[in-house]
Amino acid sequence: MATPVTVIGSSACPDADGLMELAYRRTGLGDFGAPARNAGLHAFAAGLRGELWQAMPEAAREQVVEYAVHMLATRLKLIDDRKRHPQIAAQQITRPLIVVGPPRSGSTLLHTLLSLDPEAMAPEHWICLEPSPPLALGPPSQARLDQAGRRMMSLFERIPDIFVTHPYMIEEGSGALAECGSDILNMVFSCQQLWCLYRAETFRRYLLDADHTAALGFHHDFLQHIQWGGAGKHWALKGSDYLLRLEEVAAQYPDATLIWTHRDLAQQLGSLANIQAILTGVAGEPVSGAAREAVGRLAIEHQRASFEKGMRARDRIGEDRFLDISYHDVMANPVRTVERIYARCGRQMSEAHRAAIDEWLRQHPQTKHGVHKYAMDEFGLGREATNRQFQDYVERFGFGYGLRPPLTE
């Protein structure tokens, strides 16, 4: 069992300023960057204090404070590195591939396949947890890698079932691929995972309603930081909450290819609702019965709101920036699916990339670490109700409960 990294006393819930003060004490650094990058922190701290703290067990309180302080301390170190090494700010982020599909739509698998290109760069958990000092100054020490692993496991040890739904973490640990949302934008608290873990409605409304431009500016700075001294020619990125900030990411990366993954909603939403119920173990105890159904139904409603926001943003951004990919295509013909993506963005898929995909798939059968079992009926939504609730999405993309377009030839 992993040991907690640093426990902070938590009898009273700190506000945003209190969390920043704790990060300052830890690092001796005080520059958090542009004040606009603290909007998510204020929303998260308000939800934590106003909605959740009283019902949280002491271990969960200590963990969330430690998590928040570490994220803020990491930001402080990144800004200090940037001041010390102006070469970081000179890095150019060009033509990234960004998977923007929702959770449980095959986005993680597709991201993995894209990352296997020898010319691709993709962030890993360890460097998001311990990014300082920059790689240009030397490879990470074993102690740094071990520290990242402990931080990762100190969160997940409260929810062991997460390893069935995210099996790649079992073998790869902190070397597993990271998400832009839960592993980079969590440092500016513009991260859906924080709502999945702690479920404050104040914070959920922030995610849906806020302008995330400042957060995407931090994301760009972070990519520059780890690109300096890294290897590769283009980024392969993924975030399961990008539908909440599509306009901001399109503006930040005007030459990006935005890849929207889709899946039969009976599978995607059932899996999503089940995982949301599992994640309640972080803030308290796993739920069952009527409470489990309520958690799952809210997760499904949040997904509907995310789809609506994403579709409106897509209309304003323009269809030419997007490529739609079916989960079912990825499963049926993964190499052909990646070839389609590369053809769309003017890249040639190498034989080395094809061979790497074939080898990875051989070593990672889908049910290697167990089967993720779930059913939409558990959450009170059947075929007709789901397709009615997601009518605009169904009509636009052809995916619904029990609905999917034919496989691409």
Side-chain angles (χ1 to χ4, degrees), residues 321-361:
R321 298 289 305 278
F322 290 87
L323 177 60
D324 294 297
I325 293 292
S326 165
Y327 165 86
H328 313 284
D329 275 353
V330 178
M331 296 301 294
N333 198 333
V335 171
R336 176 62 185 133
T337 301
V338 174
E339 286 177 336
R340 283 183 55 218
I341 294 170
Y342 273 37
R344 171 64 179 271
C345 62
R347 290 193 170 97
Q348 187 71 35
M349 190 176 179
S350 68
E351 289 304 319
H353 191 183
R354 288 187 179 86
I357 289 176
D358 289 341
E359 178 62 17
W360 188 90
L361 292 170

Side-chain angles (χ1 to χ4, degrees), residues 230-249:
K233 296 183 178 179
H234 68 266
W235 283 99
L237 304 167
K238 173 244 181 176
S240 60
D241 52 1
Y242 264 130
L243 296 182
L244 298 170
R245 57 179 90 85
L246 274 183
E247 285 187 274
E248 294 92 326
V249 72

